[in-house]
Amino acid sequence: MQFLTTATLFAAAALAAPAPQTTDCPNPAHCGGSPPDPSKYENIDISNFYLRKNPGIQNAGFTLSGNNGTAKCEIGAVESLPSEVQICGDSDYRFGLFEAEGADQGLVGVRLYHQTGQFSGKTGEGAVPTYCHAGGNGPDDFVCSQVNAVTVVIQ
């Protein structure tokens, strides 16, 4: 009788044990569920990014593509980072620049905002990889351009 009770306890414990983890799904409770709700996030594509510095940022800009279409984002001289937030054209999108980790390797931080209501919106940030070369206006003049496609997820 004791053997049957012990075997029953081990069987119950085995059934209650969590499912084994795999490299595809480290937490099985979170795998196989429904996909993320697209109304809670937005993919923003950044293209044609440029920046001119001499020695501070003289100007920067890029094209933004999101759920509400395409907008041109531009900023003039920036005295310090993070920059003030600028409106992208006449859209509901805004952006600001910040010093990204890896700035010494050509990364420029961009913080994006999408106003979706009077006091609400989505935000996110990412780094844009750039290549800088001499700008032709003195030894400290550099022109930087985007070298890879960038998508920033805002939520």
Side-chain angles (χ1 to χ4, degrees):
M1 184 74 161
Q2 273 185 330
F3 174 75
L4 188 55
T5 305
T6 306
T8 304
L9 286 173
F10 281 120
L15 289 174
Q21 295 181 349
T22 66
T23 55
D24 294 339
C25 181
N27 185 349
H30 295 131
C31 298
S34 59
D37 181 359
S39 68
K40 302 211 187 284
Y41 72 91
E42 180 178 355
N43 291 330
I44 303 291
D45 295 325
I46 295 175
S47 60
N48 303 318
F49 183 91
Y50 68 89
L51 180 134
R52 185 169 201 139
K53 52 187 176 178
N54 184 7
I57 296 174
Q58 302 305 307
N59 58 32
F62 58 93
T63 302
L64 170 152
S65 298
N67 288 353
N68 285 9
T70 302
K72 184 73 175 162
C73 304
E74 297 177 312
I75 191 168
V78 175
E79 293 187 24
S80 64
L81 294 176
S83 71
E84 291 189 26
V85 175
Q86 301 293 313
I87 297 173
C88 295
D90 60 354
S91 72
D92 293 333
Y93 293 102
R94 292 165 174 65
F95 82 101
L97 302 177
F98 67 95
E99 190 167 339
E101 190 173 317
D104 57 334
Q105 292 139 11
L107 294 177
V108 178
V110 177
R111 190 167 290 122
L112 301 170
Y113 307 90
H114 182 190
Q115 184 175 348
T116 57
Q118 189 171 3
F119 296 105
S120 62
K122 299 174 184 172
T123 185
E125 61 186 41
V128 179
T130 61
Y131 173 74
C132 300
H133 58 86
N137 196 15
D140 293 328
D141 186 40
F142 293 96
V143 176
C144 307
S145 352
Q146 181 174 350
V147 293
N148 291 331
V150 174
T151 298
V152 177
V153 178
I154 62 173
Q155 35 189 338

